[in-house]
């Protein structure tokens, strides 16, 4: 009964988590659709101003806009634009010489407003909604990247189509354009694209039906995506400003792009973008502004406490900060039960020094499960996020591993090198590990287990759950995660090497050096059989390595290396071998005199 109850609870929690993820994706897609609709309208306006001129003064409309002062509501956007162009505060002369991008001003102002709204939500009722707002970040980030991808595709399609128009006009082929007329922005037939660029209206008589269909389609789509992707360049930039353009038509002008964004957000198909496409989006100025800036944005100053003003938090930066803080809290939760201090008080109330309690395999498995659950937030199918979050979450995991290493460093015995081994009084060459060394070896075993979890974490998160299916995006995410987690693995190896392996190898090498030094007692001297004080008889004299070093190596392998994790045991063995060869050759080169039999014995020992 209890088992069935637990299974039902697991299934219920899984279904609830899936429903929440879907609802967040829908809400994020709706927000992205509205932003994309406004962005495309502003982009169309910018293209109209850039391509049209006053019929009387022949002055370009965009130059007229650039000459006008920037409205007060867009001052911060202009400042952000100038800082992005010049890497700092722009001078008035440089600002006047620059052509203002209306789309950039709109986008920067939208990001500034978004950051202000996010901060208000996070501060509402002293942060009562902060944890809930942070959970939306993966879905919002994925929807934002998908939105930028669609906008970027639309812009590129318009540029390519316009260049095709120019090339075809030069060849005399022309394009079938929608008829001119008077537009509400002061346009006329003279400003029609066909007239303005020298195109011909009658070039498609051979395919009039197809041309009419294409023209009507472009006219109804009004510069929209899929068909509208090409409409930005295919429709006269003045035609869509006619008075008969209704509000419903304007709403449908970007419907295809918005439907594509919403569909991908609901179905989770946004992970199908290639790495090159995502890389171009992440490096674009639009994403840099939307991702947000902290105190280095140049829009405001620090408040004196090291925190940024509200004006310096733009875009998704406040939400990202809340997400990372919540992520750190979830990852740090299991650390309190790892290396617990073991305090014992005697009958007189005096603390007895005890070694700390080490985490069990179950504790490490729980930590690995939590880390994998947080890392899966960057998987669109599992967490609803985007693969570009992999590096960001991995950096948080690296910080947590550094905390674990700090706790492990404090949990070591702290014994000196002389306290690591017990020497057998009957056999000076035989040594056994002390309690402190055994404890440090267990700490090394814990860290070795954590290292194995980190090395298998990328594949277990992104690749193994989808086998036997093959996904290039998941493999790329696993590779990015593996690279991002390398500092954590190096931190563990560095800590184990400095706190355990180096002191241990120093002690072991000292014992080996003392054994090798015994060769100077006459081990390789040539003695006559009549000499009663000789090291040994030539006929019965054995190998020095077999008599002195082999037992020492067997003792180290049995009592020390066998109790270390395989990875660390191999490093200790390599260090001991290197030191033994160097020390043996150094001491053997000092033996004098060295006869024929001595040379043969040294050669035999070197082979051994």
């Amino acid at each position: 009964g209890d088992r069935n109850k637990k299974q039902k609870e697991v299934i219920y929690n899984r279904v609830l988590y899936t429903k929440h993820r879907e609802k967040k994706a829908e809400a994020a897609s709706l927000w992205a659709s509205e932003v994309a609709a406004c962005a495309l309208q502003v982009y169309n306006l910018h293209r109209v101003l850039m391509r049209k001129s006053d019929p009387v003064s022949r002055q370009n409309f965009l130059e007229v806009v650039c000459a006008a002062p920037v409205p007060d509501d867009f001052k911060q956007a202009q400042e952000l634009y100038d800082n992005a162009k010049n890497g700092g505060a722009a001078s008035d002369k440089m600002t006047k010489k620059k052509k203002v991008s209306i789309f950039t001003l709109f986008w920067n102002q939208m990001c500034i407003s978004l950051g202000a709204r996010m901060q208000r939500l996070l501060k509402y009722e002293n942060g009562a909604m902060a944890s809930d707002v942070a959970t939306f970040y993966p879905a919002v980030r994925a929807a934002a990247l998908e939105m930028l991808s669609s906008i970027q595709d639309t812009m590129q399609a318009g540029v390519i189509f316009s260049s095709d128009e120019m090339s075809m006009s030069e060849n005399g082929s022309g394009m079938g354009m929608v008829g001119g007329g008077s537009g509400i922005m002061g346009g006329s037939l003279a400003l029609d694209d066909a007239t303005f660029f020298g195109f011909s209206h009658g070039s498609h008589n051979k395919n009039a039906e197809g041309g009419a269909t294409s023209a009507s389609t472009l006219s109804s789509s009004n510069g929209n995506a899929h068909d509208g992707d090409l409409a930005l360049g295919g429709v006269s930039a003045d035609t869509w400003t006619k008075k008969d353009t209704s509000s419903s038509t304007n709403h449908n002008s970007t419907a295809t792009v918005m439907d594509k964004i919403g569909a991908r957000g609901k179905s989770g198909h946004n992970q199908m973008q290639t790495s090159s496409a995502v890389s171009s989006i992440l490096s674009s100025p639009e994403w840099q502004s939307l991702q947000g800036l902290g105190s280095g944005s140049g829009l405001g100053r620090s408040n004196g406490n090291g925190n940024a003003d509200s004006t310096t938090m733009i875009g998704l930066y406040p939400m990202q900060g809340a997400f990372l803080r919540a992520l750190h809290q979830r990852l740090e939760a299991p650390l309190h039960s790892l290396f617990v201090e073991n305090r014992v008080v005697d009958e007189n109330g005096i603390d007895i020094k005890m070694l700390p309690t080490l985490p069990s395999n179950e504790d490490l498995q729980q930590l690995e499960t939590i880390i994998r659950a947080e890392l899966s937030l960057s998987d669109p199918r599992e967490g609803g996020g985007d693969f570009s979050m992999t590096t960001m979450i991995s950096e948080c995991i690296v910080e947590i591993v550094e905390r674990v290493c700090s706790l492990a460093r404090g949990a070591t015995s702290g014994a000196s090198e002389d306290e690591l081994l017990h020497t057998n009084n009957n056999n000076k060459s035989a040594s056994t590990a002390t309690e402190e060394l055994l404890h440090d070896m267990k700490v090394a075993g814990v860290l070795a287990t954590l290292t194995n979890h980190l090395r298998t974490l990328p594949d277990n998160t992104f690749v193994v759950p989808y086998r036997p299916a093959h996904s290039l995006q998941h493999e790329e995410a696993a590779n990015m995660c593996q690279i991002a987690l390398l500092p954590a693995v190096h931190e563990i190896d560095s800590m184990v090497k400095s706190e355990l392996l180096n002191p241990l190898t120093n002690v072991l090498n000292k014992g080996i050096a003392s054994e090798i030094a015994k060769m100077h007692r006459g081990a390789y001297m040539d003695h006559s059989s009549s000499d009663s004080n000789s090291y040994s008889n030539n006929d019965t004299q054995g190998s020095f390595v077999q008599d002195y070093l082999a037992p020492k190596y067997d003792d180290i392998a049995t009592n020390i290396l066998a109790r270390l994790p395989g990875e660390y045991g191999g490093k200790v063995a390599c260090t001991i071998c290197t030191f033994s060869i160097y020390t043996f050759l150094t001491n053997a080169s000092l033996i004098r005199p060295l006869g024929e039999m001595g040379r043969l014995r040294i050669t035999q020992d070197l082979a051994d």
Side-chain angles (χ1 to χ4, degrees), residues 420 433-443 559 563:
L420 296 179
T434 61
E435 182 180 356
E436 290 78 6
L437 179 57
L438 293 177
H439 175 80
D440 292 344
M441 289 181 178
K442 292 179 181 178
V443 174
N559 298 327
R563 299 184 179 182

Side-chain angles (χ1 to χ4, degrees), residues 36 40 43-44 47 51 147-162 164-165 217-218 220-235 252-261 264:
L40 291 178
Y43 174 67
N44 288 338
R47 294 186 68 246
R51 298 175 61 182
M147 171 189 65
L148 287 175
S149 176
S150 299
I151 293 176
Q152 192 176 79
D153 292 343
T154 303
M155 291 180 176
Q156 292 177 354
V159 172
I160 294 174
F161 201 88
S162 297
D164 290 343
E165 290 175 355
T217 303
L218 294 176
S220 62
S221 63
N222 253 349
N224 194 3
H226 196 63
D227 290 336
D229 287 348
L230 299 180
L232 290 175
V235 177
N252 294 329
S253 64
T254 55
T256 307
V257 174
M258 300 308 106
D259 293 342
K260 184 166 57 175
I261 295 176
R264 290 180 180 178

Side-chain angles (χ1 to χ4, degrees), residues 167-408:
S167 62
M168 295 184 69
S169 65
E170 293 176 357
N171 296 330
S173 58
M175 290 290 292
M177 291 295 175
V178 181
S182 178
I184 62 176
M185 298 189 66
S188 63
L189 182 61
L191 290 180
D192 189 88
D193 286 343
T195 305
F196 187 74
F197 288 108
F199 297 156
S200 174
H201 282 285
S203 60
H204 281 280
N205 292 333
K206 296 181 180 180
N207 194 8
E209 182 178 357
T213 304
S214 176
S216 61
T217 303
L218 294 176
S219 176
S220 62
S221 63
N222 253 349
N224 194 3
H226 196 63
D227 290 336
D229 287 348
L230 299 180
L232 290 175
V235 177
S236 168
D238 186 61
T239 301
W240 64 274
T241 64
K242 301 205 182 300
K243 295 181 180 181
D244 60 350
T245 302
S246 61
S247 59
S248 60
T249 307
N250 288 332
H251 177 74
N252 294 329
S253 64
T254 55
T256 307
V257 174
M258 300 308 106
D259 293 342
K260 184 166 57 175
I261 295 176
R264 290 180 180 178
K266 295 178 182 179
S267 61
H269 289 169
N270 52 349
Q271 74 271 17
M272 299 308 294
Q273 301 182 50
T274 61
S275 58
S276 59
V278 174
S279 178
S280 63
I281 295 174
L282 294 178
S283 60
S284 64
E286 290 79 16
W287 170 249
Q288 297 297 330
S289 300
L290 184 59
Q291 187 182 20
L293 301 172
S295 57
S297 62
L299 296 180
R301 296 182 179 179
S302 175
N303 57 14
N305 298 326
N307 298 325
D309 295 336
S310 59
T311 55
T312 63
M313 307 283 283
I314 69 175
L316 299 177
Y317 189 85
M319 178 182 284
Q320 177 180 338
F323 171 77
L324 293 178
R325 288 191 294 271
L327 177 62
H328 274 281
Q329 292 178 358
R330 293 192 297 267
L331 292 175
E332 290 177 352
L335 300 185
H336 302 290
S337 60
L338 293 184
F339 299 94
V340 182
E341 184 179 1
N342 188 10
R343 301 187 62 181
V344 178
V345 181
D346 61 4
E347 57 185 6
N348 297 324
I350 301 176
D351 290 342
I352 301 176
K353 183 180 180 181
M354 300 292 293
L355 296 174
T357 303
L358 302 181
S360 61
N361 292 331
E362 288 77 11
D363 295 333
L364 296 177
Q365 186 65 38
Q366 181 183 5
L367 178 61
E368 191 268 343
T369 302
I370 294 175
I371 292 177
R372 186 170 59 182
E374 299 300 334
L375 189 59
S376 64
L377 292 176
S378 59
D379 188 351
R381 297 182 182 178
E382 182 66 23
D386 188 82
F387 286 127
S388 61
M389 296 175 58
T390 303
T391 302
M392 179 179 63
I393 298 178
S394 299
E395 291 175 354
C396 297
I397 297 174
V398 171
E399 296 179 2
I400 296 301
V401 173
E402 292 176 353
R403 286 280 310 277
V404 173
C405 292
S406 179
L407 294 174

